[in-house]
Amino acid sequence: MRRRTLRGRLNTVLLQWFLLFVAVGATVCFVSLSGIRRNLLDDRLLLAQTIAHSLDTTVSSALQELGRLSADLPVGRPEAADRLRALRFQSPFGEASYVLDARDTVVVADPPDTPPLVLSLGSHEAVTSLVRKSGREQHPVLAIVQPFHREWADYYLVSEMNPVGSTISAFLKDLATDPDMHVIVVDDQGVVVASPDPRDLFRMLPNAAAYGERIRAHRPLVVDAMRSEFEDGQASGGAMMVMAPLRFAPWGVVIEQHNATALSGLY
């Protein structure tokens, strides 16, 4: 009887130590997993911010070139169209360039038959979100706008970019990130304006409101567990997503990756 009691106590002690070992091991694994996830998110956010900085440099250079042209553009003279044509060949916003007067009438344009955008034009240079032109044959565009004053009249110099085949989409494709990692650019309406995959263009993401809010506030967005914005039918178990806003355009760089792939080494 005494031997059975001793054996029972020993088994109880061993069980307690085993449970303690399991609890400690589970805690260590949980803490390690949380730390690894945070590091992965930080790495993705740093990549998104680096891409955003590069795109900011591109947009800023285009705005500066537009400002230099507006300073001495010979409005009303034949050579104005030649200057606009030269701008198109050296700017990423090379779809079309034109000058509008205060009544939104085209003064000069290249190509000559370019229909103008209907914009709320202010007194400062600006970069637009995706703008859909009127007319069935027109495609959505992005644009930069430079107001200027000439001979007691106000004008607006506008350059447009076609998101399809744009230099921004080409830049994202050249990054050659992991095939399962989605890297795109969205505007402040949550619409995809640049992507390595042309099929993503012009679609509105499910979390459009959250992207727009953070882009307008110039604040990054980090989501640890969410439903994939690019659900492809695979069992992903959720995804991690980061968004870094640009400074000079109402756009944001979004990076998303399925959890199963991002954490495959740990698993």
Side-chain angles (χ1 to χ4, degrees), residues 115-134:
L117 293 174
V118 179
L119 298 170
S120 298
L121 301 175
S123 57
H124 300 285
E125 64 184 18
V127 182
T128 71
S129 306
L130 192 70
V131 182
R132 301 183 184 274
K133 287 189 171 183
S134 59

Side-chain angles (χ1 to χ4, degrees), residues 66-99:
L66 207 66
R68 286 191 289 267
L69 178 59
S70 67
D72 60 356
L73 184 67
V75 177
R77 299 180 184 178
E79 57 265 32
D82 295 333
R83 298 284 298 277
L84 293 180
R85 187 174 301 111
L87 173 68
R88 288 181 54 213
F89 284 112
Q90 62 187 1
S91 172
F93 292 80
E95 174 76 4
S97 296
Y98 48 89
V99 175

Side-chain angles (χ1 to χ4, degrees), residues 102-118:
R103 297 182 297 274
D104 293 338
T105 302
V106 177
V107 177
V108 59
D110 186 75
D113 58 348
T114 300
L117 293 174
V118 179

Side-chain angles (χ1 to χ4, degrees), residues 35-45 240 242 262-263:
I36 291 173
R37 293 180 69 89
R38 283 195 300 271
N39 289 337
L40 284 173
L41 286 168
D42 289 343
D43 289 344
R44 301 300 185 270
L45 181 58
M240 55 178 61
V242 299
L263 300 171

Side-chain angles (χ1 to χ4, degrees), residues 10-267:
L10 180 61
N11 290 338
T12 301
V13 171
L14 291 175
L15 179 60
Q16 290 174 343
W17 276 104
F18 175 76
L19 293 177
L20 178 62
F21 174 78
V22 171
V24 171
T27 302
V28 170
C29 290
F30 177 78
V31 172
S32 299
L33 179 60
S34 299
I36 291 173
R37 293 180 69 89
R38 283 195 300 271
N39 289 337
L40 284 173
L41 286 168
D42 289 343
D43 289 344
R44 301 300 185 270
L45 181 58
L46 179 60
L47 176 59
Q49 290 171 333
T50 302
I51 297 172
H53 177 73
S54 179
L55 296 181
D56 265 326
T57 301
T58 299
V59 173
S60 177
S61 298
L63 286 170
Q64 292 174 13
E65 186 63 31
L66 207 66
R68 286 191 289 267
L69 178 59
S70 67
D72 60 356
L73 184 67
V75 177
R77 299 180 184 178
E79 57 265 32
D82 295 333
R83 298 284 298 277
L84 293 180
R85 187 174 301 111
L87 173 68
R88 288 181 54 213
F89 284 112
Q90 62 187 1
S91 172
F93 292 80
E95 174 76 4
S97 296
Y98 48 89
V99 175
L100 300 176
D101 62 16
R103 297 182 297 274
D104 293 338
T105 302
V106 177
V107 177
V108 59
D110 186 75
D113 58 348
T114 300
L117 293 174
V118 179
L119 298 170
S120 298
L121 301 175
S123 57
H124 300 285
E125 64 184 18
V127 182
T128 71
S129 306
L130 192 70
V131 182
R132 301 183 184 274
K133 287 189 171 183
S134 59
R136 181 176 301 177
E137 302 300 325
Q138 301 300 327
H139 55 262
V141 298
L142 301 166
I144 51 177
V145 183
Q146 176 65 58
F148 66 100
H149 193 76
R150 188 70 40 79
E151 298 178 354
W152 302 283
D154 292 324
Y155 296 95
Y156 301 91
L157 179 55
V158 183
S159 283
E160 298 178 0
M161 174 193 293
N162 184 356
V164 178
S166 69
T167 56
I168 298 178
S169 291
F171 169 72
L172 297 181
K173 187 173 183 178
D174 290 342
L175 291 177
T177 55
D178 293 339
D180 64 289
M181 183 184 296
H182 294 277
V183 183
I184 60 170
V185 177
V186 300
D187 66 7
D188 61 355
Q189 303 301 314
V191 178
V192 179
V193 297
S195 172
D197 188 347
R199 295 172 297 181
D200 292 334
L201 290 175
F202 310 137
R203 60 174 290 195
M204 179 176 288
L205 300 183
N207 292 318
Y211 297 131
E213 179 183 353
R214 291 302 182 95
I215 289 173
R216 289 186 288 271
H218 297 283
R219 295 173 55 197
L221 178 64
V222 178
V223 181
D224 188 4
M226 62 174 289
R227 180 182 176 86
S228 174
E229 302 274 25
F230 302 90
E231 194 60 55
D232 54 8
Q234 299 178 358
S236 63
M240 55 178 61
M241 183 279 300
V242 299
M243 189 278 296
L246 274 69
R247 293 178 56 201
F248 299 113
W251 311 339
V253 176
V254 176
I255 297 180
E256 182 199 287
Q257 190 173 25
H258 291 291
N259 286 333
T261 305
L263 300 171
S264 59
L266 177 64
Y267 291 156

